[in-house]
Amino acid sequence: NQIGLIGVPTDVGAGVRGACLGPEALRIAGLAKALTGLGHKVSDLGDLDGPPNPDEQPGNGCRNLREVSTWCRLLRDRVTDVAGQGMTPVVLGGDHCIAMGSIAGIAKHCSASGQPLYVLWFDAHTDFNTPLSSPSGNVHGMPIAALCGRIKDSEFDLGVPTPVVDPSRINLFGIRSVDHIEKATLVDSGLKVFDMRAIDERSTFTIMREILDEVTAAKGHLHVSLDVDFLDPSIAPGVGTTVPGGVTYREAHLCMEMIAESGLMGSLDLVELNPLLDEKNKSAELLVDLTGSLFGKATLHR
Ligand code: DIR
Ligand code: MN
Ligand code: MN
Ligand code: MN
């Protein structure tokens, strides 16, 4: 089937600027060619045209909220449209606030097709802050809370019923940084949180098997959202919020290879890449590599 690349060149949800350059860095790293090389048809649908970053200080607990909202609504409609044409949407961020848009868009698509929507969120952070709990005011720390229907502000209204995704169908993987109030609210959230300790104890393989088996049993649509800070900073320095102790090169590829083998992934976000902080585009190149694994690149034929 066909892959549709959607560039979302914005950093309105971040505190550090530069993720607006992510889509072009991914193109330069050879994303389309890597996918066509695997036998896929790829359409680069270009970049969405949203508002510039006003670069304001947070007001009412959020930075640039109106612009975040505009970008997310634009992306929502594009993702619904692209999925409706039978393509697999691959969203090139942009900071992680845009996942509210891509997931709202895919949720619309899934409710029309009657498929249960599952999310696999690869991140160092749980992104479960609200404007009240956030220590930074950066909306990229809030998309999971918004998708769970925990933020009532009308700018967070994505025009789809909440929760946009049932919290029990959201798997957070790679977690190692949770803010104080965020941690307390996670307790009764219903989210499936796999932190680095769980990964160390139980292994990437065991946990990924468990997540994917559940989606398979439900015949679900799997949306994968990949924040660059999921990866260890030693292999992926090109992100504004690095946290030590992330997954290794092989652990990351194993996740992607298992997803590919499952055949479950119906949509993807590649987010938080900040080329201004990268080293000669190496994080972008790693993302291209990982995306190859997600779309079926394997060492041996299986
Ligand atoms: C932090 C950072 N928890 C915040 N979040 C990030 O600002 O809410 N998420 N970087 O990916
Ligand atoms: Mn579909
Ligand atoms: Mn994130
Ligand atoms: Mn993160």
Side-chain angles (χ1 to χ4, degrees):
N1 94 331
Q2 187 146 344
I3 296 168
L5 306 181
I6 306 168
V8 190
T10 186
D11 49 15
V12 285
V16 180
R17 298 222 34 206
C20 55
L21 305 169
E24 209 54 14
L26 287 164
R27 291 188 181 99
I28 292 167
L31 181 59
K33 206 179 255 179
L35 295 171
T36 51
L38 293 165
H40 299 284
K41 288 188 201 119
V42 181
S43 300
D44 190 336
L45 306 170
D47 287 341
L48 294 184
D49 187 12
N53 190 329
D55 222 343
E56 278 161 5
Q57 287 308 111
N60 290 322
C62 291
R63 196 191 303 275
N64 310 326
L65 182 57
R66 288 184 68 87
E67 291 75 18
V68 167
S69 177
T70 304
W71 278 101
C72 287
R73 287 166 190 170
L74 282 168
L75 179 58
R76 172 197 63 199
D77 295 343
R78 182 64 63 92
V79 165
T80 306
D81 181 50
V82 169
Q85 292 176 45
M87 286 191 262
T88 301
V90 173
V91 174
L92 318 180
D95 74 76
H96 219 164
C97 78
I98 63 171
M100 296 189 285
S102 56
I103 293 173
I106 210 67
K108 269 187 165 175
H109 175 79
C110 288
S111 76
S113 68
Q115 254 194 318
L117 173 58
Y118 285 78
V119 170
L120 178 43
W121 192 272
F122 291 115
D123 208 314
H125 310 89
T126 43
D127 294 352
F128 198 60
N129 273 310
T130 67
L132 294 173
S133 74
S134 172
S136 67
N138 299 328
V139 183
H140 74 172
M142 308 180 193
I144 295 290
L147 293 165
C148 290
R150 294 227 176 191
I151 307 178
K152 297 305 172 197
D153 189 312
S154 65
E155 297 284 9
F156 283 90
D157 183 350
L158 296 156
V160 293
T162 55
V164 179
V165 185
D166 185 322
S168 71
R169 293 177 180 161
I170 301 179
N171 297 281
L172 309 171
F173 188 100
I175 304 307
R176 56 195 185 279
S177 172
V178 182
D179 297 316
H180 190 67
I181 304 173
E182 190 182 20
K183 191 176 190 170
T185 53
L186 275 173
V187 175
D188 67 345
S189 65
L191 296 164
K192 303 230 164 68
V193 185
F194 301 98
D195 65 355
M196 287 309 299
R197 176 172 172 173
I199 295 167
D200 289 343
E201 288 189 2
R202 300 180 55 210
S203 88
T204 291
F205 179 81
T206 308
I207 294 172
M208 285 296 297
R209 185 79 284 135
E210 185 176 299
I211 293 169
L212 295 171
D213 283 351
E214 187 184 333
V215 186
T216 301
K219 296 186 166 51
H221 173 116
L222 183 65
H223 176 90
V224 173
S225 200
L226 201 175
D227 182 327
V228 176
D229 68 33
F230 161 63
L231 305 161
D232 192 79
S234 61
I235 55 170
V239 56
T241 51
T242 52
V243 187
V247 303
T248 64
Y249 182 87
R250 265 313 308 165
E251 283 173 316
H253 272 289
L254 177 58
C255 292
M256 307 308 144
E257 288 157 358
M258 291 179 75
I259 293 167
E261 194 174 49
S262 77
L264 293 166
M265 188 179 72
S267 44
L268 169 67
D269 307 317
L270 301 171
V271 294
E272 294 285 349
L273 176 65
N274 186 335
L276 300 180
L277 304 173
D278 206 359
E279 296 162 11
K280 298 184 175 172
N281 221 23
K282 83 175 210 185
S283 310
E285 286 166 5
L286 175 54
L287 278 187
V288 168
D289 249 31
L290 290 169
T291 308
S293 288
L294 265 176
F295 281 96
K297 185 166 192 248
T299 309
L300 302 174
H301 290 284
R302 291 180 167 268

